[in-house]
């Protein structure tokens, strides 16, 4: 029955095969520009205009191809970036590190605390969140980690900074906020070093929602991929101005980067740096909002990158 359902899904939307084959590495032989055009078409049903990009998503594809700043690889590496954060804004903004492992076999499970988080350093969404060692399915976690450690995130969306990141696993302290059971992270979008949008995701595991705010915490009536709810009141973090300032230090004058922070028990913690939000494939509603965000990336400043 599962195979039949899969076949029906692809018969209904055959373009999804590009995404599936890309994730499995079957398109690794296709050059980046051609693959990105295929992927963009398959996910958005639109032609990718690399010669004259205007939307946010189009410009992210352009930046994948032509903005090859070697610093980015260190910043997307979840272990190496810690050194940059310590040097740039201070060690106090780092979630405490328990250990780092070269392989799954190196993890000493018995020595881990009751609660912890395991993260692969070379990709995204590859986390094991343990709130109780007693209920953790260790064998299932090991199976996931082994699969992730063999994966190279570059090949799916051609986000080149991930290509040569060394696969490792870090173990961080499990963080919780006494005042909020749903731990929120604040994703700040920087354009040429200036913050413009703050994204807050919530209800991730029970109906993912996403609200957008400007830097003065005014609600933006638009959505990126996930539904938004103007009636959902998300309190402005008390230290949002400090977050914006810290992010500006990290963003420097890069064409575009998203800096994520957590605000836990009145303390700011760094989350991650992302250069291609949603791989440049997420849906904007209204579509004009995607055009507006695209206008904030001035590719004329990056002409020297396109050789």
């Amino acid at each position: 029955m599962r195979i039949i359902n899969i076949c029906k899904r692809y018969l209904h939307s055959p373009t999804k095969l590009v995404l599936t084959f890309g994730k499995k590495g079957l398109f690794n032989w296709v050059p980046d520009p051609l693959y990105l055009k295929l992927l963009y078409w398959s996910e958005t049903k639109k032609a990718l205009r690399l010669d004259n990009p205007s939307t946010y998503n189009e410009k992210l594809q352009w930046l994948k191809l032509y903005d090859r700043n070697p610093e980015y690889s260190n910043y997307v590496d979840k272990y190496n970036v810690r050194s940059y954060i310590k040097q740039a804004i201070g060690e106090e903004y780092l979630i405490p590190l328990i250990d780092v492992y070269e392989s799954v076999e190196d993890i000493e499970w018995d020595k881990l605390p009751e609660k912890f988080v395991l993260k692969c350093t070379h990709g995204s969404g590859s986390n094991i969140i343990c709130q109780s060692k007693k209920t953790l399915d260790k064998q299932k976690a090991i199976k996931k980690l082994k699969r992730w450690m063999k994966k190279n995130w570059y090949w799916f969306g051609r986000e080149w900074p991930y290509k040569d990141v060394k696969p490792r696993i870090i173990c961080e302290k499990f963080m919780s906020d006494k005042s909020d059971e749903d731990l929120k992270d604040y994703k700040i979008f920087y354009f040429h070093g200036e913050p413009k949008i703050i994204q807050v995701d919530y209800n991730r595991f029970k109906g993912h929602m996403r609200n957008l705010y400007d830097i003065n915490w005014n609600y933006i009536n638009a959505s990126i991929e996930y539904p938004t709810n103007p009636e959902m009141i998300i309190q402005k973090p008390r230290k949002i101005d400090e977050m914006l300032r810290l992010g500006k230090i990290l963003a420097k004058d890069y064409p575009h980067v998203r800096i994520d922070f957590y605000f836990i028990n009145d303390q700011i913690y760094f989350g991650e740096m992302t250069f291609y939000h949603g791989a440049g494939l997420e849906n904007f509603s209204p579509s004009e909002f995607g055009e507006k965000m695209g206008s904030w990336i001035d590719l004329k400043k990056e002409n020297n990158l396109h050789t």
Side-chain angles (χ1 to χ4, degrees), residues 162-199:
Y162 292 102
K163 187 174 185 180
D164 296 320
V165 175
K166 181 180 180 180
R168 286 175 289 190
I169 301 165
I170 57 173
C171 184
E172 292 181 340
K173 179 181 177 181
F174 176 86
M175 307 296 285
S176 60
D177 193 329
K178 297 175 183 177
S179 65
D180 189 355
E181 64 179 43
D182 182 16
L183 192 63
K184 295 181 178 65
D185 57 334
Y186 301 88
K187 302 177 184 296
I188 308 174
F189 291 67
Y190 286 82
F191 299 81
H192 303 284
E194 294 297 325
K196 295 284 189 180
I197 299 289
I198 304 168
Q199 172 183 305

Side-chain angles (χ1 to χ4, degrees), residues 89 91-96 173 175 243 246 260-272:
I89 61 175
E91 191 172 15
E92 65 271 25
Y93 297 105
L94 289 170
I95 293 176
K173 179 181 177 181
M175 307 296 285
M243 281 188 205
L246 294 171
D260 299 358
F261 292 103
Y262 294 99
F263 189 53
I264 307 170
N265 299 322
D266 209 39
Q267 171 65 36
I268 296 171
Y269 292 97
F270 169 79
E272 65 177 324

Side-chain angles (χ1 to χ4, degrees), residues 67-240:
D67 180 16
R68 297 296 178 107
N69 188 326
E71 294 177 344
Y72 295 171
S73 290
N74 272 328
Y75 299 160
V76 302
D77 183 319
K78 289 179 172 54
Y79 181 65
N80 287 354
V81 73
R82 296 177 64 89
S83 296
Y84 174 54
I85 298 304
K86 180 179 179 180
Q87 175 269 324
I89 61 175
E91 191 172 15
E92 65 271 25
Y93 297 105
L94 289 170
I95 293 176
L97 181 70
I98 295 173
D99 212 336
V100 58
Y101 312 102
E102 299 289 321
S103 69
V104 180
E105 290 74 20
D106 290 341
I107 301 173
E108 298 181 282
W109 297 91
D110 293 340
K111 294 184 179 180
L112 294 180
E114 180 65 17
K115 298 181 179 183
F116 58 86
V117 177
L118 293 170
K119 299 179 180 178
C120 289
T121 60
H122 60 300
S124 60
S126 50
N127 307 328
I128 301 293
I129 300 172
C130 175
Q131 298 189 49
S132 170
K133 286 175 71 175
K134 295 178 182 178
T135 59
L136 176 68
D137 188 334
K138 191 172 79 171
Q139 293 307 313
K140 185 176 180 180
I142 289 172
K143 187 176 180 180
K144 284 184 177 180
L145 288 167
K146 285 185 175 180
R147 184 174 74 250
W148 292 334
M149 287 292 279
K150 295 176 181 178
K151 183 177 178 180
N152 188 320
W153 268 259
Y154 159 74
W155 292 111
F156 154 58
R158 301 299 166 97
E159 299 177 38
W160 67 268
Y162 292 102
K163 187 174 185 180
D164 296 320
V165 175
K166 181 180 180 180
R168 286 175 289 190
I169 301 165
I170 57 173
C171 184
E172 292 181 340
K173 179 181 177 181
F174 176 86
M175 307 296 285
S176 60
D177 193 329
K178 297 175 183 177
S179 65
D180 189 355
E181 64 179 43
D182 182 16
L183 192 63
K184 295 181 178 65
D185 57 334
Y186 301 88
K187 302 177 184 296
I188 308 174
F189 291 67
Y190 286 82
F191 299 81
H192 303 284
E194 294 297 325
K196 295 284 189 180
I197 299 289
I198 304 168
Q199 172 183 305
V200 185
D201 292 76
Y202 54 97
N203 294 341
R204 289 175 184 264
F205 306 110
K206 47 186 177 181
H208 195 155
M209 302 285 286
R210 176 180 286 174
N211 282 10
L212 304 175
Y213 301 88
D214 66 19
I215 60 172
N216 296 311
W217 209 253
N218 296 307
Y219 174 79
I220 297 173
N221 190 21
S223 66
I224 305 176
E225 192 67 19
Y226 294 99
T228 183
N229 183 3
E231 296 182 2
M232 174 64 179
I233 305 301
I234 299 176
Q235 296 297 323
K236 178 181 178 179
R238 192 177 69 81
K239 295 184 179 179
I240 188 63

